[in-house]
């Protein structure tokens, strides 16, 4: 049987009304927030949500407040028709795609700041980014009031920020963080991969290769962080076009750097290839 078209909703009030009816039937509501330009990474979250919940809400919103002034908000890919086709094939019930002025009407000036885990790594390179993320996600949580929310490990720090926000603000939401979906050569799927020209696309495997190098060092018995970081940097530095924003080995809960790998450790990288900035991470276990 062909899947039904998802219902596309543009207004907060309309979504609230649709969800009131659904909740009255005691349905478990799952929520997948996205910025669109959907790929298999997004769809893996959607499929998990479909399996685990009775009603799946996907938001598509390129959130202006999480982009810095020099970042790619304007050119971020917007592919609503294709996104809707993908969501239809997954059997999604509701798609919420508001205009920016619906989410941020004139005079909007309330912000959510999650301290601590938002500060290192992406927090250093993209000041204000997680304030925008936390603010829009809390707004979306308040609008959708999901039982379960789905995020990808691809954006590990983001998931940690949301986890802390849920805990600190007593939000009655279960957080599910699902594994990174990769291309066959290891590149983490990302909407930003569409920026890469063929040459940069080949070079973009450098993030995954540097993470694998860390895992390999560990397998060979190396525990010293400085030695492993040097090896990871060497992989990236071999690409003339690549600029490293950071290469880090951090505690997976605090995101503070470790001196040696003695327990679970997150390897995280951010690399710019020309104008395209990519991130990736891998959880290491000795
Ligand atoms: P975005 O549209 O980039 O804001 O991503 C929306 C959600 O999809 C976030 O929770 C991301 O972590 C997740 N996501 C993005 N790429 C991937 C991927 N390759 N694998 C798994 N989840 C992903």
């Amino acid at each position: 049987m062909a899947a039904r078209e998802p219902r596309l909703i543009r207004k907060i009030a309309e979504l609230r009304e649709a969800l009131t009816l659904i909740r009255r039937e005691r349905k478990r509501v799952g929520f997948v927030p996205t910025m669109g330009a959907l790929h298999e990474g997004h769809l893996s979250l959607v499929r998990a949500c479909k399996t685990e919940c009775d009603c799946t809400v996907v938001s598509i919103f390129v959130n202006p407040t999480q982009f810095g002034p020099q970042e790619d908000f304007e050119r971020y890919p917007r592919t609503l028709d294709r996104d809707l086709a993908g969501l239809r094939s997954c059997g999604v019930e509701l798609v919420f795609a508001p205009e920016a002025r619906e989410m941020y009407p004139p005079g909007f000036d309330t912000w959510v700041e999650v301290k601590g885990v938002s500060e290192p790594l992406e927090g250093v390179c993209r000041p204000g980014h997680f304030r925008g993320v936390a603010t829009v996600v809390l707004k979306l949580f308040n609008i959708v009031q999901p039982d379960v929310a789905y995020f990808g490990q691809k954006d590990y720090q983001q998931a940690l920020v949301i986890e802390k926000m849920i805990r600190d603000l007593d939000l009655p939401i279960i957080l599910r963080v699902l594994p990174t979906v990769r291309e066959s050569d290891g590149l983490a799927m990302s909407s930003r991969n569409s920026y890469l020209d063929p040459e940069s696309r080949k070079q973009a495997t450098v993030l995954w290769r540097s993470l694998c190098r860390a895992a390999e060092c560990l397998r060979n018995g190396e525990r010293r962080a400085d030695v492993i970081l040097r090896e990871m940097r060497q992989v990236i530095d071999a690409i003339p076009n690549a600029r490293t924003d950071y290469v880090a080995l951090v505690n997976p809960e605090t995101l503070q750097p470790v001196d040696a790998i003695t327990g679970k450790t997150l390897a995280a990288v951010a690399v710019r290839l020309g104008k395209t900035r990519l991130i990736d991470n891998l959880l290491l276990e000795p």
Side-chain angles (χ1 to χ4, degrees):
M1 200 178 81
R4 264 179 61 184
E5 211 57 52
R7 179 168 163 200
L8 175 62
I9 296 181
R10 299 282 194 180
K11 297 287 179 199
I12 294 167
E14 194 191 338
L15 180 60
R16 284 220 159 107
E17 197 180 302
L19 284 166
T20 302
L21 298 176
I22 286 162
R23 242 179 257 106
R24 206 170 281 162
E25 297 167 32
R26 301 217 173 281
K27 285 187 174 167
R28 183 176 163 95
V29 175
F31 178 43
V32 185
T34 82
M35 299 206 297
L38 301 183
H39 49 66
E40 275 303 310
H42 296 115
L43 297 184
S44 72
L45 306 182
V46 171
R47 288 192 197 101
C49 184
K50 277 296 292 179
T51 310
E52 297 169 5
C53 300
D54 307 308
C55 172
T56 294
V57 184
V58 176
S59 65
I60 295 178
F61 181 57
V62 185
N63 173 36
T65 66
Q66 71 188 66
F67 288 79
Q70 306 302 326
E71 293 183 2
D72 56 342
F73 174 70
E74 295 296 340
R75 71 172 182 139
Y76 197 86
R78 288 157 171 90
T79 60
L80 185 62
D81 288 342
R82 196 147 50 82
D83 293 348
L84 288 173
L87 296 175
R88 176 176 190 262
S89 71
C90 295
V92 166
E93 287 83 3
L94 298 174
V95 177
F96 180 50
E99 297 282 348
R101 62 177 174 276
E102 179 74 1
M103 294 297 279
Y104 300 108
F108 179 93
D109 208 6
T110 300
W111 302 95
V112 181
E113 231 169 302
V114 178
K115 301 285 189 186
V117 289
S118 72
E119 289 164 25
L121 306 177
E122 292 297 289
V124 174
C125 300
R126 305 184 69 188
H129 169 66
F130 285 122
R131 183 176 101 136
V133 169
T135 301
V136 81
V137 171
L138 182 61
K139 280 173 68 72
L140 290 166
F141 281 175
N142 282 333
I143 295 164
V144 177
Q145 297 182 23
D147 297 287
V148 193
Y150 294 80
F151 288 82
Q153 197 195 313
K154 158 80 180 14
D155 301 280
Y156 185 100
Q157 187 174 12
Q158 169 173 275
L160 216 54
V161 168
I162 301 303
E163 180 184 42
K164 183 151 203 303
M165 179 179 78
I166 287 177
R167 196 172 346 113
D168 286 356
L169 299 183
D170 306 300
L171 305 178
I173 299 172
I174 296 168
L175 177 67
R176 297 267 288 119
V177 181
L178 299 185
T180 303
V181 177
R182 299 179 179 282
E183 303 286 357
S184 55
D185 62 4
L187 175 65
M189 289 192 181
S190 163
S191 306
R192 291 191 166 95
N193 293 349
S194 67
Y195 298 151
L196 298 167
D197 61 44
E199 183 59 22
S200 308
R201 170 61 188 82
K202 276 187 228 149
Q203 296 172 335
T205 57
V206 73
L207 287 89
W208 177 236
R209 286 189 286 115
S210 73
L211 295 169
C212 291
R213 184 77 193 103
E216 189 187 327
C217 288
L218 197 59
R219 274 198 306 277
N220 294 339
E222 184 57 65
R223 296 282 184 276
R224 292 166 296 179
D226 57 344
V227 175
I228 300 175
L229 288 169
R230 200 179 319 132
E231 294 278 335
M232 294 174 74
R233 273 195 214 100
Q234 265 172 21
V235 174
I236 299 168
D237 291 345
I239 306 288
N241 199 18
R243 298 279 169 273
T244 303
D245 267 2
Y246 59 77
V247 174
L249 292 170
V250 297
N251 177 300
E253 279 153 33
T254 63
L255 302 186
Q256 291 306 308
V258 297
D259 294 328
I261 301 188
T262 53
K264 272 193 189 177
T265 302
L266 185 77
V269 292
V271 173
R272 282 175 287 130
L273 287 167
K275 282 190 186 160
T276 306
R277 185 175 183 280
L278 301 175
I279 60 171
D280 201 353
N281 66 79
L282 181 64
L283 210 46
L284 303 173
E285 293 189 51

